[in-house]
Amino acid sequence: MSDVRFDFVKCHGSGNDFPLIDARDIALSPAEWAAVARALADRRGPVGGDGLLLLGAGDADHRFAMAMYNADGSEAETCLNGLRCVARMGFEALGIDHARVKLKTSSALAERDADVAPGVYTVRETAGPAGLDVRAWPLHAGGEGAGIEQIVDAPVPPLGSDRAFTAVAMPNPHLVAFVERIDEAELVAIGTTCESAPDWLPNRANVSFVELRGQDAGSAPGQALFVRTFERGVGLTDSCGSAMAASAFAACLTGRLAYDAPITVFNKGGLVRAAVARDAMVSLSGNATWEWHGSVEVDIAAERAGDLIVHAHADAEIAAWARIADSAGR
């Protein structure tokens, strides 16, 4: 199989944008889907995106499944911004408003939620429990940290940084540092070190710098964060859902924010509402916005996207999200 035409929705969750394909009846191997992801997510091509989302068939325990391939073709354990979009497609396809969704190595609950703003289709997702055992990544800290099981507000010696990090699996791996002010050059440097898949971190990791923000309207004092992420397989990104979940969990774990209370998590793509339970389950409520519908031809062997047909733009949804993104200070 080489040239294939795919129908898809171009969508985004909190500014994290993807082509989304209903793949329930499409028989491609993981290697072929990785090639499709590299073709469609290429920002120099006709579609572009932070990765590729697939709606998959369910099983006895799940109404449907999600797969997410990063722009480099690697498959992520999850993508919470993407999950909301996949959930929306699954809800609409099956005529339901909640589901347990199968992920690569875990599952999550998704349900239609009250709109975070007029005209903004909103999904609440609950994932976890967040994991702290870095041996499962694996992350071999080396040096004085050799043999450690957890990293909580502590340096990671091989990074060559004095920053204190908290290592959280959501279930994909995240290193979270709380900073007074985000330095993007420093973030990119640390993220690039992780992206090189060194011997001590063979499966790489997402890296986030997080600022605590002041009181947010409608939330408890201090219950707001701003998150900037260098995403594994993507690079510096406007938004990463699992990073926002990991950052919220890390903030509660380290006593910076309160468990079981609303948290507003801002990013360059907009915002989500979060809550962290004491059992380490994290919920995010945010948008699943359609931008346009189209079809595109992909030469899978050459990993190249070709003829693109745009069927319709979702102008009202685009405008509704633009209002909330602007108000979030993007």
Side-chain angles (χ1 to χ4, degrees):
M1 182 181 293
S2 184
D3 291 345
V4 180
R5 178 165 287 277
F6 296 97
D7 291 319
F8 69 95
V9 176
K10 187 65 186 297
C11 59
H12 78 84
S14 199
N16 215 181
D17 69 317
F18 311 91
L20 164 59
I21 296 172
D22 184 345
R24 290 175 297 167
D25 297 318
I26 301 176
L28 292 181
S29 68
E32 288 171 320
W33 279 123
V36 173
R38 287 188 286 268
L40 294 185
D42 186 350
R43 295 288 184 185
R44 300 164 297 180
V47 179
D50 288 327
L52 170 67
L53 299 175
L54 304 176
L55 171 65
D59 57 26
D61 299 315
H62 306 87
R63 296 302 303 272
F64 50 85
M66 179 189 86
M68 186 275 184
Y69 289 84
N70 292 310
D72 67 355
S74 59
E75 186 177 1
E77 292 88 345
T78 189
C79 170
L80 295 183
N81 284 334
L83 173 59
R84 299 197 301 275
C85 297
V86 173
R88 176 179 177 176
M89 179 176 277
F91 294 166
E92 293 178 353
L94 300 175
I96 58 177
D97 61 8
H98 65 279
R100 178 172 289 278
V101 185
K102 183 179 181 180
L103 309 177
K104 182 183 179 183
T105 60
S106 61
S107 64
L109 295 174
E111 60 184 319
R112 183 77 164 88
D113 203 0
D115 291 351
V116 295
V120 176
Y121 189 104
T122 301
V123 173
R124 175 177 293 276
E125 57 201 343
T126 303
L132 293 172
D133 187 350
V134 298
R135 296 172 300 178
W137 293 25
L139 189 162
H140 307 292
E144 295 180 359
I148 61 174
E149 299 178 11
Q150 298 182 0
I151 298 171
V152 178
D153 245 356
V156 180
L159 279 178
S161 169
D162 293 330
R163 294 278 186 197
F165 290 88
T166 297
V168 181
M170 204 63 231
N172 48 347
H174 292 268
L175 291 170
V176 178
F178 293 92
V179 300
E180 290 294 322
R181 183 176 179 277
I182 292 170
D183 182 329
E184 288 192 357
E186 181 188 1
L187 174 59
V188 168
I190 293 174
T192 301
T193 296
C194 293
E195 191 70 0
S196 69
D199 290 344
W200 59 272
L201 188 64
N203 295 322
R204 306 176 295 170
N206 304 280
V207 182
S208 294
F209 282 1
V210 183
E211 297 175 7
L212 293 174
R213 291 290 173 92
Q215 183 168 353
D216 172 59
S219 71
Q223 294 285 108
L225 303 171
F226 181 88
V227 179
R228 195 81 168 103
T229 301
F230 189 100
E231 186 173 0
R232 181 181 60 168
V234 177
L236 193 64
T237 183
D238 283 352
S239 176
C240 174
S242 59
M244 292 187 287
S247 298
F249 172 77
C252 293
L253 178 71
T254 59
R256 291 175 168 89
L257 296 182
Y259 286 102
D260 300 314
I263 302 169
T264 303
V265 186
F266 296 97
N267 54 68
K268 290 197 74 172
L271 61 86
V272 298
R273 303 289 186 182
V276 180
R278 292 186 180 276
D279 62 1
M281 298 298 289
V282 183
S283 68
L284 298 181
S285 185
N287 72 304
T289 297
W290 288 173
E291 295 186 305
W292 45 279
H293 296 72
S295 66
V296 65
E297 190 169 277
V298 177
D299 183 332
I300 296 177
E303 300 184 359
R304 183 173 60 247
D307 182 48
L308 170 68
I309 300 172
V310 177
H311 301 303
H313 285 88
D315 293 333
E317 292 197 40
I318 293 170
W321 179 253
R323 288 190 289 271
I324 193 172
D326 289 343
S327 67
R330 183 172 59 166

